[in-house]
Amino acid sequence: MIRQTTYDRFAHDITNRGISAWLLAALLTSFYLVLYFTEGLTPVAKAIGLDSKWTLYGLIYTIAVVAGGIFVIRRYRHNKYQVVRTCVVMFVQSILAFALPQFLKAIHQPEYYFSYFWPLKLDYLTPNTIFHYPLPIILYSFAGSLILVPILGAFFGKRWYCSWVCGCGGLANTAGEPFRHLSDKSTTAWKFERASIYTVLGICITLTALLFTTYAIGPKHPDLAAFTYKFQSFYGLIVGTMLSGVVGVGLYPLGGTRVWCRNFCPMAALLGLVQKVGRYRITVKKNMCISCGMCSKYCEMGIDVRSYAQSNQSFTRASCVGCGLCAEVCPRGVLKLENVSAKAPQQRLVQITSHRSEMNHSSLR
Amino acid sequence: MHHIIIGNGVAGITAALTIRERDRSAQITLISGESDYFFSRTALMYAFMDRMSLRDLEPLERKVYDAQKFNRIRAWVTNLDATTRTLTLDTGQTIQYDALLLATGSRPNQLTVPGAAAVKAGLVNFVTLQDLESLEKWTKLGGKAAVTGGGLIGIELVECLTHHGMQVDFFVREPWYWPAALDKEEAAIVTGHIRHHGVNVYLEESVAEIKSDTAGKLTGITSTSGKQYPLDLLGVSIGVHPAIEWLTQVKTPPATKRGILTNPAFLTSLPQVWAAGDCAEIELAQGKPLVEQIWYSAKRQGELAAKSMLGDSIAYQPPIFYNSSKFFEIEFTTVGQPNAPGSETFFHPFAGAEASIRITWRDSAVTAFNMLGSRWNHEFFERWITERRAPQYVIDHLAEAQFDGEFCTLPLAEAQSNFNQSRSPR
């Protein structure tokens, strides 16, 4: 039952796919179309003294993350995990993903974003782009993408990136917070997610390999080079522009905040695979679940957490970004995010079932 | 084999899934008068507060019912004839079973005070989907509500009504909130928390008389202290009892006392008829007959009753008691039997937090844990009770059982040093 105040009626409408939600989705989508495909925002940027529409976009994005972050910290102020995580997200966005690149640009250095890595940012590993940067940045970029990202993923799960550092996750977990419950929890959505996200990852790796090959032998094979660069710009349009921007943020009010992260992001796909073999998991306290479903409802990745909790299965799902909201909203304290080491005392009692082989959502035990 | 299960609550659905797991070909029929699909009754409060939709309360995807080949019938059973193994439904349909499970759950206890019989509207319980509908009808922003009954459902109802902007009076008959589970100190923390949310809590006070207008709409109550309270809504949460009233109308009722009597294998006095969950009263091999009315016991009993129906030899022995709850924002875990005569207890409230721990022991073996405002893995407590661990051992190993989230761990050292000081010779 909706609380009978004007505010609550509106809040319900906009966060439950009402008319206002459709309007907001249309507004967000239009904003991204104007941003990507027109110069409509350039005069606006100039008018407030910014050098380009991209700087304006960065500023708006940062304001959204910081304002949303303050809202989230207020809402979950009793939960230190949420407070710390949100502070980090706000810091990374405002400093690493906005102030620092702008500063570098101002001192005539390359505008480099230290919080982004391959394969999310394809350009940061591929030779035709990264080799234009100074050597320390090239080293940082290679070490970050190929060593730091997977190693931290193995120890802490993909959450260290997806819900602590990444800008896409940052916006989802701050300004997007009121829409998190809209993610589709059905097994059909899970099947789609697996098919689509690994397809994008496959395409992304293929393209990366092609770009390296072209870099090595391109001058002798102009056809290959032409094909590769066309492929790259097509990938940029579909994945970078349409899926991560227009669909990813535009659909917040209709499909939840992680449409991009869940279904398309190649970085999330790769980190998910690392997570499956790493230490991170959600531990389920045995026989304490009351099947209320708050965990599933508020899972932004559409994981049916309840199906694991009610059948006493600790689990690691590739898609889990470790936002910790399932554990936060659980009224019986059944769930706990952990980086499990063999010595952990909980290990002695809690049986791990890493992952069920089938998509069987029919068990209560 | 045609297995029929009356009641699609957690006991019934767990039984159905257990039967299906073992017998792919059995015919399984679930009958419910309340809902088309199994839903989580424990989450009704979240639907009431709009944190979830009714559909979100369903723990199983709807396609599971077809995949598991469960027949679902939405009807109330009006007759049970064990001589012909036939059920009659309120739709007029008759249906035959080979094995029948009664999992009809509980019904809320009603007030019998003067005026109660005349009330037709505004007097509500909080147990069924239908209760939710009637609650939503009488809930209004700025209205006045009272809840009587200091247990778990009562506090959930108080939270919901407060959320909806009603001024709530909470009547607790006992000297403190929920003495069945909480000691005075914990109850004081909880009561303070409830009051902080703007609720008037009246201890040792309950409803003496209900007043209604000529149309039968509730207008207010008189409390046991003689005070008048004008009301828009009165929530009654003074416990539940096994749902057995319907059995008095049937041709061959099973034997009942408080609930439907069963043996330790959940078999009732009728052949091929079992009972499990809140409605069952189990005559254990040892000790008093047992009526268990919480989510966990219903799930456990549903599974075991199904196994009994499949021919397994079952002798029910309830495990060490445990339960959990949440009072507004304060979580609570209890394990074991507190308040046992002759027991000693260590209580530590954490400074600056609405959190406390209580460890109880007898003959230097721990017997119970009452933990407020933090998260614990009850399996450790159960193990320590089974192993008859000394309180000192438990205090020293307490951290192992902590289940608080990352960065949120309760500072146990404070409690440990308090314990060691209290135990050291003066």
Side-chain angles (χ1 to χ4, degrees), chain B residues 240-268:
Chain B
V240 294
H241 61 270
I244 54 170
E245 289 94 340
W246 67 285
L247 288 166
T248 58
Q249 312 293 324
V250 305
K251 189 174 170 211
T252 56
T256 58
K257 252 193 327 208
R258 274 197 294 159
I260 302 165
L261 288 172
T262 78
N263 69 8
F266 301 98
L267 190 63
T268 68

Side-chain angles (χ1 to χ4, degrees), chain B residues 61-249:
Chain B
E61 276 194 84
R62 288 191 176 177
K63 60 187 179 191
V64 166
Y65 296 84
D66 286 338
Q68 297 280 327
K69 297 200 183 67
F70 293 155
N71 311 318
R72 290 178 298 105
I73 298 178
R74 178 79 187 269
W76 297 98
V77 177
T78 53
N79 194 27
L80 157 60
D81 185 349
T83 55
T84 57
R85 291 188 185 167
T86 308
L87 297 176
T88 310
L89 310 179
D90 64 352
T91 54
Q93 192 190 347
T94 59
I95 178 168
Q96 287 210 302
Y97 62 84
D98 296 307
L100 176 68
L101 178 65
L102 307 175
T104 50
S106 301
R107 293 290 171 272
N109 297 339
Q110 303 297 354
L111 286 173
T112 52
V113 298
V119 186
K120 293 185 181 59
L123 184 63
V124 287
N125 302 117
F126 194 30
V127 174
T128 63
L129 285 176
Q130 289 73 28
D131 291 341
L132 183 62
E133 275 172 33
S134 103
L135 263 169
E136 291 183 345
K137 195 168 160 196
W138 301 112
T139 298
K140 64 175 191 201
L141 191 72
K144 284 191 181 301
V147 172
T148 182
L152 287 182
I153 298 178
I155 203 166
E156 287 179 0
L157 188 50
V158 167
E159 180 176 350
C160 294
L161 296 170
T162 309
H163 167 88
H164 282 293
M166 293 194 87
Q167 177 55 54
V168 184
D169 296 318
F170 188 23
F171 293 97
V172 176
R173 190 181 53 183
E174 293 80 9
W176 64 80
Y177 173 71
W178 208 24
L182 300 181
D183 284 277
K184 204 172 181 171
E185 292 84 358
E186 283 94 330
I189 296 175
V190 173
T191 308
H193 187 74
I194 304 172
R195 287 187 169 136
H196 182 74
H197 280 276
V199 177
N200 304 315
V201 183
Y202 301 103
L203 301 175
E204 295 185 85
E205 203 166 338
S206 55
V207 178
E209 190 188 349
I210 305 179
K211 280 170 285 185
S212 52
D213 61 21
T214 47
K217 170 72 180 71
L218 176 111
T219 53
I221 57 163
T222 308
S223 78
T224 45
S225 67
K227 222 180 140 201
Q228 312 272 327
Y229 297 86
L231 294 174
D232 297 299
L233 181 162
L234 174 62
V236 177
S237 54
I238 51 172
V240 294
H241 61 270
I244 54 170
E245 289 94 340
W246 67 285
L247 288 166
T248 58
Q249 312 293 324

